[in-house]
C-alpha cells in the first residue's frame, strides 16, 4: 500500500491517495496497524483522500484505534495541501467533503507548494443533545463534571465531532493522561468525547493539551482548537480571535460574528512517502469478496 506521511502542527497521520489506488483492506483494520509507532508507519491515525461527487476531494479519517471520526481540522489542512501539491485540484480555494459536511479551505502557496491553509470549520454546534452530551443545559457552559473524586467545569462544543473544554491553571500529565481518558469514556458523553485542557495566557492567547477520542494525547487538534475558541467566548474568558499554542505548533482561530463560522489557520507539512507491506493475517478485500 502506497502512503504519504503528513502532519499539521505535529498532529500526524498516514494518508492514502485513493485517486491513484485502491485500498487493499478495510480501513478500520489498517488504521491501528499503520498508526503503531513501533511496528507500523506511526501516526495519530489514517486518513483517506478520495474522489467526491460534491467537492474537489473527500476525506475519511480513522483514529489509531480504528474508529472513524467525523472530522479532523489538522488532517483537513493536510488533505488540502496534498490535493494542491499533487495536482488533484490546482486551486487556491477548495471544497472538501468530510463526515461533518463540505468545508471550504483557502491555501497560501509558494510556487507549486501549499504552505499554510485556512479552513472554514463551519458553525459550532451548541445544542447539548446534538454534541452529544447528557448535560441538560444548552449551551453546555461551565457544567459540573465529577471525575475520580475531582470536580471540573466543562464547556461542551461540537465542531462536527464532540469536545469537552476545561480551563485549568496548569495542563499537567495528571490531568491530560490521567483524567483525559476517564472523561472520554464518561457517561455524560454517549459518543465518547475529545478533551481539551486549556491554560489561559490572555484573552487572545492560550495553551492547549488534548486527549483525543480513540488516539490518546496528540500534539495538536484543529477541531479542538476551534472548540476552545468558541468555549472561551461562551465562558467569558477569551476574545473571538485567538492564538492557540499546542505542543506541535501554533494555530490561529477566529469565531466570526458575521457568519457564526470558525476559521482556523495553520501549517501543513508532507514528511515522506513510501510503500507499506500489509502484514499476514489482515483480511484483504480480495479475500473477502
Amino acid at each position: 500500500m502506497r502512503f504519504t506521511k503528513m502532519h499539521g502542527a505535529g498532529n500526524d497521520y498516514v494518508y492514502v491517495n485513493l485517486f491513484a489506488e485502491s485500498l487493499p483492506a478495510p480501513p478500520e483494520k489498517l488504521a491501528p496497524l499503520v498508526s503503531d509507532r513501533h511496528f507500523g508507519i506511526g501516526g495519530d491515525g489514517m486518513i483517506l483522500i478520495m474522489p467526491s461527487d460534491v467537492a474537489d476531494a473527500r476525506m475519511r479519517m480513522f483514529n489509531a484505534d480504528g474508529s472513524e471520526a467525523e472530522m479532523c481540522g489538522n488532517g483537513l489542512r493536510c488533505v488540502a495541501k496534498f490535493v494542491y501539491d499533487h495536482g488533484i485540484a490546482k486551486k487556491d480555494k477548495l471544497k472538501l467533503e468530510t463526515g461533518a459536511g463540505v468545508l471550504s479551505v483557502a491555501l497560501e502557496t509558494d510556487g507549486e507548494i501549499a504552505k499554510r491553509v485556512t479552513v472554514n470549520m463551519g458553525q459550532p454546534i451548541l445544542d447539548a443533545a446534538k454534541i452529544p452530551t447528557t448535560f441538560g443545559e444548552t449551551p453546555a457552559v461551565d457544567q459540573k463534571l465529577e471525575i475520580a473524586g475531582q470536580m471540573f467545569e466543562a464547556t461542551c462544543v461540537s465542531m462536527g465531532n464532540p469536545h469537552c473544554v476545561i480551563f485549568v491553571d496548569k495542563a499537567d500529565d495528571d490531568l491530560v493522561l490521567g483524567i483525559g481518558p476517564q472523561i472520554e469514556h464518561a457517561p455524560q458523553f454517549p459518543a465518547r468525547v475529545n478533551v481539551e485542557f486549556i491554560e489561559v495566557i490572555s484573552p487572545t492567547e492560550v495553551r492547549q493539551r488534548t486527549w483525543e477520542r480513540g488516539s490518546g494525547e496528540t500534539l495538536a487538534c484543529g477541531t479542538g482548537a476551534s472548540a476552545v475558541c468558541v468555549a472561551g467566548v461562551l465562558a467569558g474568558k477569551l476574545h473571538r480571535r485567538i492564538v492557540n499554542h499546542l505542543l506541535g505548533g501554533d494555530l490561529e482561530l477566529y469565531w466570526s460574528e458575521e457568519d457564526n463560522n470558525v476559521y482556523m489557520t495553520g501549517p501543513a507539512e508532507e514528511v515522506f512517502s513510501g510503500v507499506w507491506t500489509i502484514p499476514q493475517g489482515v483480511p484483504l478485500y480480495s479475500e473477502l469478496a
Side-chain angles (χ1 to χ4, degrees):
M1 182 181 79
R2 295 186 180 278
F3 71 90
T4 299
K5 181 74 179 292
M6 304 183 76
H7 79 87
N11 194 193
D12 61 334
Y13 290 91
V14 176
Y15 293 78
V16 183
N17 176 15
L18 298 189
F19 281 87
E21 63 179 287
S22 299
L23 202 68
E28 64 272 13
K29 301 293 185 184
L30 293 175
L33 298 174
V34 301
S35 301
D36 192 297
R37 296 189 185 276
H38 299 287
F39 299 101
I41 301 165
D44 293 326
M46 182 177 73
I47 290 178
L48 308 181
I49 304 171
M50 310 170 64
S52 169
D53 293 331
V54 296
D56 294 298
R58 178 187 176 197
M59 178 182 84
R60 289 185 70 190
M61 180 263 190
F62 293 83
N63 295 308
D65 66 356
S67 61
E68 186 169 4
E70 303 89 342
M71 236 296 277
C72 172
N74 292 313
L76 191 68
R77 292 202 315 278
C78 288
V79 169
K81 176 180 173 61
F82 189 97
V83 166
Y84 182 88
D85 290 3
H86 292 264
I88 294 172
K90 208 70 173 178
K91 302 185 293 186
D92 59 7
K93 294 187 186 303
L94 297 170
K95 298 284 189 181
L96 298 176
E97 181 184 358
T98 76
V102 176
L103 300 179
S104 301
V105 301
L107 293 82
E108 300 174 22
T109 61
D110 181 7
E112 297 298 305
I113 302 298
K115 304 299 290 185
R116 277 165 45 100
V117 180
T118 296
V119 180
N120 180 345
M121 300 291 287
Q123 298 184 1
I125 298 170
L126 303 179
D127 186 306
K130 293 180 180 179
I131 290 174
T133 176
T134 61
F135 291 128
E137 184 176 329
T138 293
V141 179
D142 293 339
Q143 299 297 292
K144 301 299 182 184
L145 179 63
E146 185 174 357
I147 300 290
Q150 300 184 59
M151 189 65 72
F152 299 94
E153 290 187 345
T155 297
C156 301
V157 177
S158 172
M159 293 303 306
N161 56 354
H163 291 273
C164 173
V165 179
I166 298 176
F167 295 96
V168 297
D169 292 331
K170 185 171 180 57
D172 56 22
D173 286 352
D174 289 342
L175 286 175
V176 180
L177 306 181
I179 299 299
Q182 296 184 63
I183 296 177
E184 176 192 351
H185 295 277
Q188 290 89 344
F189 305 104
R192 297 190 293 163
V193 74
N194 303 284
V195 190
E196 281 75 39
F197 295 95
I198 304 302
E199 302 172 12
V200 176
I201 301 171
S202 75
T204 60
E205 192 174 6
V206 299
R207 290 190 185 93
Q208 171 176 325
R209 287 183 67 180
T210 300
W211 180 268
E212 281 204 48
R213 177 184 60 170
S215 291
E217 184 175 19
T218 56
L219 296 185
C221 178
T223 55
S226 302
V228 166
C229 183
V230 174
V233 173
L234 295 177
K237 298 180 183 295
L238 300 176
H239 294 169
R240 285 179 172 263
R241 192 183 297 273
I242 66 169
V243 174
N244 191 325
H245 304 291
L246 303 105
L247 296 180
D250 295 347
L251 296 176
E252 300 167 19
L253 292 309
Y254 172 52
W255 184 20
S256 171
E257 290 183 283
E258 294 182 3
D259 60 13
N260 198 37
N261 291 326
V262 180
Y263 294 86
M264 175 190 63
T265 301
E269 300 289 342
E270 184 172 320
V271 185
F272 61 88
S273 295
V275 179
W276 180 69
T277 302
I278 311 297
Q280 289 185 345
V282 176
L284 302 179
Y285 279 134
S286 58
E287 298 169 345
L288 294 174

